[in-house]
Amino acid sequence: MKIYTNTHKQLLIKLLYTLLLSISFSPVSAQLISSDQAPPSVKWEQINEPSFNLIYPTELRDLAEQTAIVLKTNIRSISHTLGIKPRKINIILQNRTLEANGYVQLAPRKSEFYTTPPQGGDPVDWITTLAVHEYRHVVQFDKLTGSIKFPFEELGLAFFGVALPSWFYEGDAVLTETRFTKGGRGVIPSWEMNFRANLLEDKNYSYQKDYLGSYKDITPGYYQLGYFMTTKLHRDYGDSITNRLLSRIAKNPIRPYNFSRSLKKITGYNTKQWHQQTVDELRDLWQAQSSSLSIKEYTKQAVPSSKFPTSYYYPQASDNGVIYAIKESPLRVNSIIQLKDGKETVEVVKTGRQNSPYFSYAAEQFVWNEIREDPRFKLRSYSVIHYYDLSTKRRWKITKKSRLFSPSLSKDATKIAAIEIDLKNENYLVVIDTETGNEINRIPSPGDRNLSHPSFQPDGSHILVVGRNSEGSSIIEFSLANKSSRILLDHQIQEIADPSYTGDGILFKAHYNGIDNLYLLNPETGEIRQLTSVRYGAFNPSYQAEDNKIFFSNYTGRNYEIQSLYLDTLHSRDIRDIENSFISYFKPLSDTINLPRAHSLDSTRKFQHKAYKEIAHLFNFHSISINDGEYDNLTEYKPGLFFLSNNIMNTLAVKVGGTFDPDIHALNFQTEFAYNRYYPKFSAAYHNREQLANVRHPQSKEIYPARWREHYSQFQVQFPFSINRLNYNYNINLGIASSYTHRYGINRPDFQNVLIKHIEFPLHYQVSLGRNARRAQLDLAPRWGQNISLNYRHLPFSHLTGTRLALQSTFYFPGLATNHSTQLRFNMQERSGVFAYENIIPMVSGFDQLTPTQPSNTLFLNYKLPIAYPDFDIGPLAYVKSFKANLFADFEDIGVGNQPKPRTYGVQLLADVNFFRFVLPEFELGLKGIAVNENNPKKFILQYSLSYSY
């Protein structure tokens, strides 16, 4: 969502309402709370307990029992350091989406758990980590905003977002999940690796850069930074520190820089100083850890140099010495690339959207999985398998509407092994015929483990898989002949990944010495030997039998490089002789815990299950707001009071209230309904509003101001449709709307017969089509894109006449250099009757200061390019990430009259900025110089702009 304006008088309002609490376990940055819906076919049940109401799809009854057990066991543990008993909350389990995620929110108060586990992560079952983390957010909310209740939930949400930095509440939740489970991200070296590498490489970034991120450098981000800063607070000041901080903030909610000043009052350090204290301690601890390691060097694969961090994942070698890997860079979207003779020779194929980079190679064939969203219901998605034949350059989709992860090819590329997670959250190892896509074999997970990373034995008879449950990680071997399984390695509090056969051993990634390294398991004796000893982390191992060689990705402090070693020349060590050097930053706190945990509860307890009927909960009024909840355009903000209702399934939204229009000094009233349960979206609205306009008198021909009131009713139906396919996103939106207007109370008696009293049911149709390439991180726009929107309005049921037709289009093309963008926008309109004088297409830059026109078309040419990525602070006020430029030329009435020339042209300078140390929203400041190419007193116009996105 973006907004352009020449004023920022209501910026604080937007800050208050967009800083929402969320958590994402995927590699992408945190997202705002979802307003999407599950498909209407889902049948819901509930477990209604005194502390929570757990709502879940009927397929998840067993998982709901497990979740309820985790919550019942951990509520006291999670909340005891904040000294409160949280209020009851609705918790919804969502099983149709394949994103591993969750969030807590107010307005309305609820939490959602996305139950499909990720393919990697901490060594504990997913639902335990998720429940503990999210419920800690519930406790945080209630501690800080517990006194702000109905009907002021929106105010509480705003206060929470403004009062607490994201690093604090997310870091506190990560600390909680680590202390109160056997896993948690605080026990994973790979999770902290970027932060550790930065400090050991003497990259002394500022507090704001570590917190808010960078386009050009790797930074820890607010989850990792927050975990260490929050944990240090607990280590140095005890478990009461969070309670003390939040209590002080709540007592004076309007104090500027409330958190930093409260931290200073209690500890003597503000946030910036506390960041430095944390960094100094961590540097000492990590330097001591690093000095205890015996670091070895390995053969590096030469790759092109880059100004930006570049990563090569899952390197796999062919028989003829060619290496294939996934390349990740902020400059380009991910693709499988080929390296030969020390050179990156060719891009094989672009991969589409993935939860994390992954592919498998064998016999000149490639497979990988991509995430596909439902065209309408975004809380339903699929993971489908794609196949690419290098010899024929053919690419196709093997499965449709599947839930298959981590596909792995057999050595002869005739079979694919993948992990299926069904709607019951049950895991299966599935084997598929490559040629037909038919299922050959299906084996359930032993012990209800979460499965990941399958790998074939060379002869195709067995498959290795990683399993995870509440006791830790395991390596499992499945026999395809009799559909049996055996545990080769069990109950490891390790992030185990990517096991594969090496002839007489099992190669895998783990972190027994405190750093992610490669290990070899003897499946007969159970002996484990460490193969690599790297500084920061070794990942994604693959074994080439022909040369007895291992390829892997080695993180060097900036890039993931492709490195290799020969298995027969190793000087490996038995892990029994290896000391774990992991600093276990949370450990002193966990040793003080004397409270029950999830795995200690009697798991035989049964809960009462009842049907959940959404129709009985359609209305859920939660907040009185100073606006109708929409802040798309701050310059058009009008003060008012609204009563807002949103049900917890996001299917019905209601607004009832009124505003004061300061421009015409009038009170307006409105009621709106939006019903989004089914495929078409329905909305209805009623407005009683005052209007002020200049009206020409039919006799004197003079223009006079006239004021009147009107009843305005509108009904709209929308058919949204959006999909992602390969490297493109597509959208089709159809809409039809009608309205009825009755005008009354005009203030000039002589205009009684001039003003049109009734406008009966005009019909408005809209069709939008879009096809846009996926954007790399540093792309300023899609490299290729085609977008067309057609609008038509007429009056078939009215005594009035008139039509209005408008076409708007945007086309994107590559620029002259990487991440540059060329944009062409063409718009046209035809109007007649009562619509004859309406301008409904975008106008040229600076039009409000030019001679008024009624153009039939406009054409805009833009060329956007990045300038620099400075990453500098302006004290606590702002953090500047990038500078950009936009060269433009704007035309009117192409093909009408004289030879076309731009009416205005010029340059716009832009900067990406975070204000007041808020992660969201991200702002774009612009200064636009407009040259006027016509006879006009103003030959040059200077404008500034402010836009935001989240």
Side-chain angles (χ1 to χ4, degrees), residues 144 159 163 245-259 261-262:
L144 191 61
F159 174 45
L245 277 169
L246 297 186
S247 296
R248 188 174 191 275
I249 292 169
K251 286 179 181 178
N252 193 346
I254 63 173
R255 181 192 294 117
Y257 294 101
N258 206 338
F259 180 86
R261 293 175 67 179
S262 296

Side-chain angles (χ1 to χ4, degrees), residues 385-496:
I385 297 178
H386 278 268
Y387 193 94
Y388 183 79
D389 188 322
L390 188 63
S391 59
T392 64
K393 311 299 182 186
R394 181 189 171 205
R395 172 179 181 164
W396 68 96
K397 185 171 61 176
I398 291 181
T399 64
K400 298 179 181 180
K401 295 187 177 181
S402 57
R403 297 168 59 92
L404 298 170
F405 302 88
S406 303
S408 178
L409 280 167
S410 61
K411 184 176 177 59
D412 59 5
T414 61
K415 295 186 289 292
I416 300 170
I419 303 303
E420 182 184 81
I421 305 174
D422 67 11
L423 293 178
K424 295 181 179 180
N425 244 40
E426 293 177 348
N427 287 234
Y428 296 87
L429 173 65
V430 176
V431 180
I432 298 169
D433 181 87
T434 302
E435 191 66 30
T436 65
N438 295 331
E439 185 178 303
I440 302 172
N441 229 323
R442 169 182 292 266
I443 309 174
S445 168
D448 198 28
R449 290 173 168 85
N450 296 331
L451 302 181
S452 63
H453 304 105
S455 177
F456 276 97
Q457 195 173 33
D459 65 7
S461 62
H462 293 78
I463 297 174
L464 294 173
V465 171
V466 174
R468 285 181 296 149
N469 61 14
S470 60
E471 299 301 318
S473 299
S474 57
I475 296 179
I476 308 167
E477 183 180 61
F478 288 89
S479 170
L480 298 184
N482 55 19
K483 295 187 178 182
S484 64
S485 63
R486 64 168 179 151
I487 308 297
L488 304 182
L489 184 66
D490 207 6
H491 299 164
Q492 305 293 297
I493 306 302
Q494 297 281 314
E495 186 189 28
I496 292 177

Side-chain angles (χ1 to χ4, degrees), residues 279-557:
V279 164
D280 290 343
E281 182 181 58
L282 288 174
R283 183 184 293 109
D284 291 342
L285 291 171
W286 280 330
Q287 283 177 344
Q289 178 200 33
S290 184
S291 64
S292 70
L293 303 173
S294 177
I295 308 302
K296 294 181 172 59
E297 299 294 327
Y298 304 95
T299 304
K300 298 180 181 180
Q301 177 71 35
V303 295
S305 61
S306 173
K307 295 189 302 181
F308 297 92
T310 304
S311 299
Y312 295 86
Y313 299 111
Y314 286 94
Q316 297 164 65
S318 68
D319 295 341
N320 58 8
V322 176
I323 300 173
Y324 300 97
I326 282 189
K327 181 180 181 179
E328 182 181 72
S329 165
L331 300 173
R332 299 287 190 189
V333 296
N334 289 7
S335 61
I336 300 173
I337 55 91
Q338 172 182 294
L339 299 103
K340 188 175 183 180
D341 301 326
K343 297 180 180 179
E344 184 180 318
T345 57
V346 68
E347 177 186 271
V348 177
V349 63
K350 288 183 174 66
T351 58
R353 176 186 162 193
Q354 297 182 292
N355 284 338
S356 59
Y358 175 84
F359 81 106
S360 175
Y361 164 81
E364 304 300 288
Q365 315 295 308
F366 302 85
V367 293
W368 66 95
N369 64 296
E370 295 183 4
I371 299 299
R372 291 281 186 271
E373 286 188 343
D374 183 277
R376 162 63 179 91
F377 300 101
K378 299 308 176 182
L379 287 180
R380 178 168 62 189
S381 55
Y382 306 97
S383 181
V384 301
I385 297 178
H386 278 268
Y387 193 94
Y388 183 79
D389 188 322
L390 188 63
S391 59
T392 64
K393 311 299 182 186
R394 181 189 171 205
R395 172 179 181 164
W396 68 96
K397 185 171 61 176
I398 291 181
T399 64
K400 298 179 181 180
K401 295 187 177 181
S402 57
R403 297 168 59 92
L404 298 170
F405 302 88
S406 303
S408 178
L409 280 167
S410 61
K411 184 176 177 59
D412 59 5
T414 61
K415 295 186 289 292
I416 300 170
I419 303 303
E420 182 184 81
I421 305 174
D422 67 11
L423 293 178
K424 295 181 179 180
N425 244 40
E426 293 177 348
N427 287 234
Y428 296 87
L429 173 65
V430 176
V431 180
I432 298 169
D433 181 87
T434 302
E435 191 66 30
T436 65
N438 295 331
E439 185 178 303
I440 302 172
N441 229 323
R442 169 182 292 266
I443 309 174
S445 168
D448 198 28
R449 290 173 168 85
N450 296 331
L451 302 181
S452 63
H453 304 105
S455 177
F456 276 97
Q457 195 173 33
D459 65 7
S461 62
H462 293 78
I463 297 174
L464 294 173
V465 171
V466 174
R468 285 181 296 149
N469 61 14
S470 60
E471 299 301 318
S473 299
S474 57
I475 296 179
I476 308 167
E477 183 180 61
F478 288 89
S479 170
L480 298 184
N482 55 19
K483 295 187 178 182
S484 64
S485 63
R486 64 168 179 151
I487 308 297
L488 304 182
L489 184 66
D490 207 6
H491 299 164
Q492 305 293 297
I493 306 302
Q494 297 281 314
E495 186 189 28
I496 292 177
D498 303 312
S500 61
Y501 293 92
T502 63
D504 57 356
I506 306 298
L507 174 67
F508 66 99
K509 193 279 303 183
H511 49 83
Y512 291 101
N513 75 328
I515 302 292
D516 288 282
N517 273 291
L518 307 185
Y519 294 84
L520 192 68
L521 167 69
N522 185 321
E524 304 304 324
T525 66
E527 179 189 48
I528 301 174
R529 303 193 69 82
Q530 181 179 339
L531 303 182
T532 62
S533 184
V534 299
R535 184 174 301 277
Y536 300 121
F539 306 90
N540 311 146
S542 66
Y543 176 67
Q544 185 192 37
E546 290 73 19
D547 297 327
N548 200 27
K549 199 173 185 180
I550 296 172
F551 292 87
F552 61 98
S553 296
N554 187 14
Y555 185 68
T556 62

Side-chain angles (χ1 to χ4, degrees), residues 839-859:
N839 262 335
I840 56 172
I841 59 174
M843 305 292 284
V844 299
S845 300
F847 76 94
D848 56 334
Q849 300 185 51
L850 304 177
T851 304
T853 61
Q854 290 280 335
S856 61
N857 65 68
T858 55
L859 173 68

